[in-house]
C-alpha cells in the first residue's frame, strides 16, 4: 500500500462546487479502495491519500489534470502497512480559518517539500476527522 500528501493552489472553487467535489471523490475513492483526508483553506488544498499503489497513481493523475487547482506538489510519500484513515473514503470537515493559518504557517516556515510539513498536516487531518 502507498500513501502521499500533496498541496495545491485552488482556482476559484465555490463552496457548492466543493460539496460536489467531496461527494464525487468519496464515491470514486470507494471504488478505488482509496482512503484519506482533505483540507480546504479557502485558497489551498492539502490532501492525504492512501491505498493500492496503482490506484494512488491513477488518482494522482486525475488530480494533477483537474482544472480546479494548480501547482500540485507532493510533499511526502511512501509505503505504508496500515491505513491511517481506514474508516474514511475522504475525511473532510469543511473550510476552516484555523486550518488555513496552520497550513500557511507550516508551508512558510518549513518549505513545501519538508517531511515535517506532511506529518503536521496528517496530524491536523486526523484530529479533524475524529469528530
Amino acid at each position: 500500500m502507498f500513501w502521499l500528501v500533496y498541496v495545491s493552489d485552488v482556482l476559484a472553487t465555490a463552496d457548492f462546487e466543493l460539496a460536489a467535489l467531496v461527494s464525487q471523490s468519496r464515491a470514486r475513492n470507494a471504488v478505488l479502495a482509496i482512503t484519506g483526508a482533505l483540507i480546504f483553506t479557502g485558497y489551498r488544498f492539502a490532501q492525504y491519500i492512501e491505498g493500492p499503489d496503482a490506484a494512488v497513481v491513477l488518482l494522482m493523475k486525475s488530480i494533477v489534470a483537474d482544472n480546479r487547482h494548480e501547482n500540485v506538489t507532493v510533499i511526502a510519500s511512501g509505503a505504508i502497512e496500515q491505513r491511517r484513515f481506514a474508516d474514511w473514503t475522504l475525511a473532510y470537515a469543511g473550510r476552516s480559518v484555523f486550518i488555513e493559518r496552520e497550513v500557511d504557517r507550516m508551508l512558510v516556515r518549513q518549505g513545501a517539500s519538508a517531511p515535517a510539513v506532511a506529518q503536521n498536516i496528517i496530524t491536523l487531518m486526523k484530529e479533524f476527522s475524529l469528530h
Side-chain angles (χ1 to χ4, degrees):
M1 194 164 358
F2 190 72
W3 69 273
L4 65 79
V5 174
Y6 78 84
V7 294
S8 65
D9 298 326
V10 174
L11 301 172
T13 299
D15 288 336
F16 70 90
E17 291 177 18
L18 191 58
L21 171 73
V22 169
S23 178
Q24 293 164 358
S25 296
R26 285 177 173 155
R28 179 180 57 189
N29 289 356
V31 169
L32 294 173
I34 296 281
T35 53
L38 175 70
I39 290 175
F40 175 57
T41 71
Y43 62 94
R44 182 173 284 135
F45 286 122
Q47 187 170 6
Y48 173 87
I49 301 167
E50 62 190 6
D53 297 14
V56 172
V57 169
L58 179 66
L59 181 58
M60 278 308 295
K61 286 181 183 178
S62 173
I63 288 168
V64 168
D66 191 319
N67 64 4
R68 289 173 283 205
H69 60 158
E70 63 185 1
N71 302 323
V72 177
T73 304
V74 174
I75 59 174
S77 63
I80 191 170
E81 292 185 24
Q82 184 175 339
R83 292 178 187 262
R84 290 182 173 120
F85 291 89
D87 296 331
W88 294 94
T89 55
L90 183 65
Y92 177 70
R95 183 177 176 183
S96 167
V97 173
F98 168 75
I99 293 294
E100 181 176 326
R101 284 193 312 261
E102 288 300 301
V103 170
D104 285 348
R105 182 183 58 78
M106 286 184 260
L107 291 173
V108 168
R109 185 180 64 200
Q110 297 175 330
S113 63
V117 173
Q119 188 54 52
N120 290 339
I121 289 173
I122 292 167
T123 299
L124 282 173
M125 290 172 173
K126 285 295 275 186
E127 290 175 7
F128 270 81
S129 69
L130 294 176
H131 66 278

